[in-house]
Amino acid sequence: MAPKTTAVRRLSAAIMITAILLPAGFGPVQAAPPVEREWIVSLGPGGDIAARAKALTKEVGRSPKHIYTNAIRGFSFRGPERAAARIAAKPGVRQVVRSEPVSLIAESTPSGIRRIDARHPTAADAHDSGFRGAGVSIAILDTGVDLDHPDLAANIDAARGKNCMGAGPPEDGHGHGSHVAGTAAGVADNGIGIVGVAPSARIVPIKVLD
């Protein structure tokens, strides 16, 4: 019986040591709550976007944060990954992706500007040859232009601009005109944003679209 007695003593000692090491009130480990993130949901065609967004998020106990009707048809909401997966599996949902902040620290050249050799990192380009649009005016007939944009303001000829949609300056209330203006004459070498085809040209904002 001696071996059995020794085994019982060892087990008792192990239990005592465990009891000493464990803090008072120690219980089962609680699972960490699911991480809440913002998600962007792209919907297929058909139906009222806002109504569809409300119905889909209600199924996972959430509500829409933003409704998108221009660049994409869809909405955003905040919730855990399992909620995003449930919505992604629903009919009529094209894609669900995590919404992440995007920042641009340094100036960049869009691929289209490189492709036409206006400014190319490895090949001789128009900018290197001195063709930067100096002395040229470019009228942007669009939704207006963001008159205070740091990549555009230095090149905007506001005096010749015109708002054909109403009173006030030709300020961009949509974003498309500013995008076009940046492609045409985004300011070079200011350390931020993008470079345009003709960064020394003057931008004349003509607002013809709302």
Side-chain angles (χ1 to χ4, degrees):
M1 298 297 291
K4 184 175 181 180
T5 302
T6 302
V8 170
R9 287 175 179 171
R10 287 175 179 171
L11 179 60
S12 299
I15 292 172
M16 289 176 64
I17 292 171
T18 302
I20 292 169
L21 293 177
L22 290 177
F26 182 84
V29 177
Q30 298 295 321
V35 178
E36 297 271 324
R37 294 189 172 93
E38 187 170 344
W39 305 88
I40 296 176
V41 181
S42 176
L43 299 174
D48 180 81
I49 298 174
R52 293 171 68 186
K54 187 175 181 180
L56 286 167
T57 51
K58 185 178 180 180
E59 291 192 28
V60 294
R62 305 287 163 160
S63 58
K65 185 175 180 181
H66 299 291
I67 304 295
Y68 304 121
T69 60
N70 292 315
I72 65 169
R73 289 170 50 86
F75 63 93
S76 68
F77 78 99
R78 188 166 182 82
E81 189 169 354
R82 64 170 177 263
R86 282 183 60 185
I87 289 178
K90 297 294 181 180
V93 174
R94 284 180 167 174
Q95 189 179 36
V96 179
V97 296
R98 188 188 301 176
S99 177
E100 298 283 8
V102 177
S103 61
L104 190 60
I105 298 173
E107 190 172 73
S108 66
T109 305
S111 59
I113 311 302
R114 293 195 301 269
R115 190 166 59 249
I116 64 172
D117 286 339
R119 190 194 206 200
H120 198 283
T122 59
D125 55 45
H127 290 190
D128 292 335
S129 300
F131 298 105
R132 301 165 60 91
V136 173
S137 294
I138 303 174
I140 306 296
L141 280 70
D142 210 293
T143 58
V145 174
D146 183 348
L147 303 177
D148 300 315
H149 194 289
D151 248 7
L152 303 174
N155 285 349
I156 292 176
D157 187 345
R160 289 196 289 163
K162 186 173 179 60
N163 183 356
C164 300
M165 299 300 297
E171 188 69 55
D172 190 358
H174 181 273
H176 190 270
S178 299
H179 172 84
V180 173
T183 300
V187 179
D189 303 325
N190 65 345
I192 59 170
I194 60 101
V195 176
V197 173
S200 297
R202 300 290 283 163
I203 298 169
V204 181
I206 309 294
K207 185 179 178 74
V208 297
L209 298 169
D210 59 16

